[in-house]
Amino acid sequence: MNKNIIRIFAGICLCMSISSCNNLLELDPTDAVPGEKIFSSVSQFERGVLGCYSTYHPEYNLLIGSAMSDECRLDSQNNGVNGFGNLLQRWVYSSEDDILYKAWKDNYATIYSINLLLENAAKVPVHNEEQREKLRSLTAELHGLRALVHFDLHRNFGPSDAETNGRTIPYITDTDINKKPGRISLNEFYQNIWNDLNNAGGIQHQINFRLQNNAVLALEARVALYQRNYPLAAEKATALIQLYPLEDAQRYERIWKDNNNTEVIFQLKRTNDNDLRPNTLWQNYATGRMYFRPSHQLMSMYEASDVRLQNFQEEEGDYIINKYPGNDYSNRINDVKLFRVSEMYLIRAEANFFTGKQQEALQDINTLRIKRNEDIQPISTVSLSEIMKERYLELSYEGHRYYDLKRLQWDISRNPEDLFSLSDEPTLTSSDKAYILPVPLKETLVNPNL
């Protein structure tokens, strides 16, 4: 990792403070807290924990997961040297791509700050049992967040999980910036993930703008699915399905306007102070320039009565991506939804399919389909293709599609009308060099072991 980047971002992260008791994650970067003061009390330590969220930008996963897959097509305005994500979308990017670098840099900066807090947690004075439990809860939250951020890095820069002998990104658990860690085996990586997840139990708060117990459970379900531990994935998903109801078609739209959190297990608060938000990935509000539009391939798969068509807005004979349409106060701001219960239905369906429980898988898929389209007829048989299609329709623009195809080693195929130019390739095979994202060049120059 680049030492200067780590120092800068760690300093920013640990200098963040809480600006409001009602909005714990609306952090004011001008309200600085000296580094050592972070460890002077439990309440100051919590400010450091909240600061770790300030450099965590899962929006890059939303962008990469969509642009690299068959969810998007480039708008005609998104080309040339001023393009945004256009080289990723066309599969002609290099290891110098700025988006890849930021996704790597921000995540490892967050990890460094988490590790700095965990290494110094013992310094924090506690005066009673309540403070001791609070501190233990905060360290549990940090372990869960460290697992989440590493998993994001693995999904971006690691191999397909179908490659049992593949090697993925380093799992960093200390603050030694002089180390030059190399890639590690998938087995070692997942051992580290589960070590952190096992230490993430018993978080006290229930704020869904921060990692809490149910968010940890959702992450465990997702990790188990990628790891192909299907019984565990089904078990974790089931626990959440029992807690969170699926919304009906009449109330679905309210989820994306931040008016209804019934389905939302974990989300991150976003305000005008956040330059990177879900809404900003598809268009530039300042210039009116459109970056991406929904692919014709995706749009053709929705039934006419599917409530999820509300996630697209018709405009001059074409459509724009409108899954994050803004809240009641601004048409440009929405919170980032990281885990929803609909994903848990899809995880359980896939897990049951692979363990031979076809009827259970079929029931979950039909339950979700009917909730999204009350007029649709239930299907009578289920296949992996049908499950993946439902993931495609349900989780579009939430940072899943490229990673789903990659973990299964499926080719990425686009319809001809979704290509930017006649010279673009319609298919990216799992054996193609561009199929796996490279570690950014700036990092490999500093650390050749990557």
Side-chain angles (χ1 to χ4, degrees):
M1 292 171 286
N2 186 296
K3 295 180 183 179
N4 290 329
I5 290 169
I6 290 175
R7 290 193 184 105
I8 291 169
F9 274 82
I12 292 172
C13 189
L14 289 181
C15 286
M16 291 294 185
S17 178
I18 303 171
S19 63
S20 168
C21 293
N22 294 324
N23 298 292
L24 288 177
L25 290 182
E26 291 181 7
L27 304 174
D28 183 357
T30 63
D31 188 9
V33 179
E36 282 303 310
K37 190 176 180 181
I38 289 292
F39 309 111
S40 65
S41 69
V42 174
S43 61
Q44 292 292 346
F45 188 80
E46 184 171 23
R47 293 188 177 192
V49 173
L50 294 179
C52 292
Y53 289 93
S54 67
T55 50
Y56 177 47
H57 298 136
E59 285 90 346
Y60 287 118
N61 283 46
L62 272 63
L63 176 59
I64 295 169
S66 296
M68 280 290 292
S69 72
D70 49 7
E71 286 183 352
C72 291
R73 56 188 167 91
L74 288 177
D75 187 88
S76 59
Q77 299 175 333
N78 189 12
N79 57 56
V81 295
N82 294 320
F84 177 69
N86 57 344
L87 299 182
L88 283 171
Q89 208 278 336
R90 300 179 68 189
W91 306 324
V92 293
Y93 61 88
S94 72
S95 59
E96 298 180 75
D97 189 278
D98 190 54
I99 290 171
L100 298 183
Y101 179 58
K102 288 177 180 177
W104 177 277
K105 175 191 69 175
D106 289 5
N107 279 329
Y108 272 117
T110 303
I111 289 168
Y112 181 90
S113 297
I114 291 169
N115 290 339
L116 190 61
L117 289 167
L118 287 173
E119 286 182 351
N120 291 277
K123 292 181 179 179
V124 180
V126 292
H127 304 291
N128 51 52
E129 189 60 29
E130 181 181 357
Q131 289 183 356
R132 184 172 290 105
E133 281 302 304
K134 177 71 170 179
L135 182 61
R136 191 209 59 76
S137 173
L138 291 170
T139 58
E141 185 177 353
L142 289 169
H143 279 286
L145 188 58
R146 186 165 69 181
L148 175 62
V149 179
H150 274 102
F151 193 59
D152 281 355
L153 280 161
H154 164 66
R155 291 202 296 165
N156 277 319
F157 301 104
S160 167
D161 285 272
E163 295 181 23
T164 54
N165 296 320
R167 301 184 71 79
T168 189
I169 53 98
Y171 203 101
I172 308 300
T173 58
D174 59 43
T175 56
D176 186 350
I177 59 176
N178 294 308
K179 285 185 177 178
K180 293 185 177 181
R183 289 181 176 267
I184 61 176
S185 69
L186 287 173
N187 183 57
E188 182 181 352
F189 176 81
Y190 279 113
Q191 284 180 352
N192 279 285
I193 282 270
W194 286 108
N195 283 340
D196 269 334
L197 290 174
N198 290 335
N199 286 317
I203 299 173
Q204 284 185 349
H205 70 80
Q206 298 182 8
I207 305 167
N208 83 339
F209 292 113
R210 290 166 58 181
L211 201 75
Q212 28 72 16
N213 292 327
N214 289 340
V216 172
L217 198 58
L219 177 57
E220 289 175 332
R222 187 184 289 177
V223 168
L225 181 72
Y226 274 67
Q227 200 179 7
R228 304 190 174 199
N229 186 341
Y230 297 122
L232 183 62
E235 174 191 329
K236 301 293 184 179
T238 297
L240 290 164
I241 288 169
Q242 292 171 346
L243 295 174
Y244 294 84
L246 281 170
E247 274 299 5
D248 56 29
Q250 285 71 35
R251 293 173 57 85
Y252 173 81
E253 184 181 16
R254 293 170 58 86
I255 298 171
W256 305 106
K257 292 184 176 180
D258 299 341
N259 291 328
N260 183 357
N261 291 330
T262 301
E263 282 193 17
V264 181
I265 301 168
F266 178 38
Q267 60 188 332
L268 290 180
K269 194 74 175 174
R270 290 294 181 258
T271 69
N272 269 323
D273 293 329
N274 300 106
D275 293 332
L276 191 66
R277 306 187 302 272
N279 324 62
T280 65
L281 302 176
W282 321 119
Q283 58 183 306
N284 186 315
Y285 286 100
T287 65
R289 185 183 184 189
M290 192 67 61
Y291 294 137
F292 296 97
R293 292 185 183 271
S295 69
H296 295 289
Q297 180 172 308
L298 174 63
M299 296 299 295
S300 68
M301 291 187 176
Y302 288 106
E303 299 285 342
S305 55
D306 195 318
V307 69
R308 292 170 295 200
L309 283 173
Q310 296 174 1
N311 297 328
F312 308 93
Q313 181 179 330
E314 191 169 4
E315 181 185 80
E316 298 179 356
D318 205 343
Y319 288 90
I320 63 173
I321 300 165
N322 200 40
K323 194 163 197 174
Y324 289 92
N327 57 38
D328 289 341
Y329 307 100
S330 173
N331 65 351
R332 302 179 180 184
I333 299 172
N334 280 117
D335 301 330
V336 190
K337 314 300 188 283
L338 295 183
F339 291 99
R340 294 190 297 119
V341 74
S342 60
E343 183 192 351
M344 299 301 114
Y345 275 88
L346 292 161
I347 286 175
R348 189 170 69 174
E350 187 174 339
N352 282 332
F353 174 83
F354 277 114
T355 53
K357 299 178 181 179
Q358 307 298 310
Q359 286 305 309
E360 289 88 341
L362 178 64
Q363 182 177 347
D364 280 338
I365 292 299
N366 276 328
T367 297
L368 180 58
R369 290 175 78 248
I370 292 170
K371 280 290 185 180
R372 299 301 184 236
N373 191 341
E374 295 175 348
D375 297 332
I376 204 168
Q377 293 297 313
I379 57 175
S380 56
T381 60
V382 69
S383 64
L384 182 58
S385 294
E386 190 68 38
I387 293 170
M388 293 302 291
K389 174 185 174 182
E390 201 58 38
R391 287 185 68 92
Y392 189 29
L393 297 174
E394 175 66 19
L395 302 176
S396 58
Y397 315 107
E398 295 181 58
H400 289 275
R401 181 62 174 173
Y402 164 60
Y403 310 116
D404 280 341
L405 297 172
K406 176 183 169 183
R407 68 183 170 84
L408 295 172
Q409 283 189 313
W410 285 14
D411 295 346
I412 305 172
S413 297
R414 294 173 178 158
N415 288 352
E417 61 264 37
D418 290 325
L419 303 179
F420 185 73
S421 72
L422 295 175
S423 63
D424 286 352
E425 294 291 336
T427 301
L428 183 67
T429 66
S430 60
S431 60
D432 194 293
K433 182 180 179 180
Y435 190 84
I436 303 295
L437 299 176
V439 173
L441 177 63
K442 291 179 181 178
E443 295 300 320
T444 57
L445 290 176
V446 174
N447 179 9
N449 294 329
L450 290 170

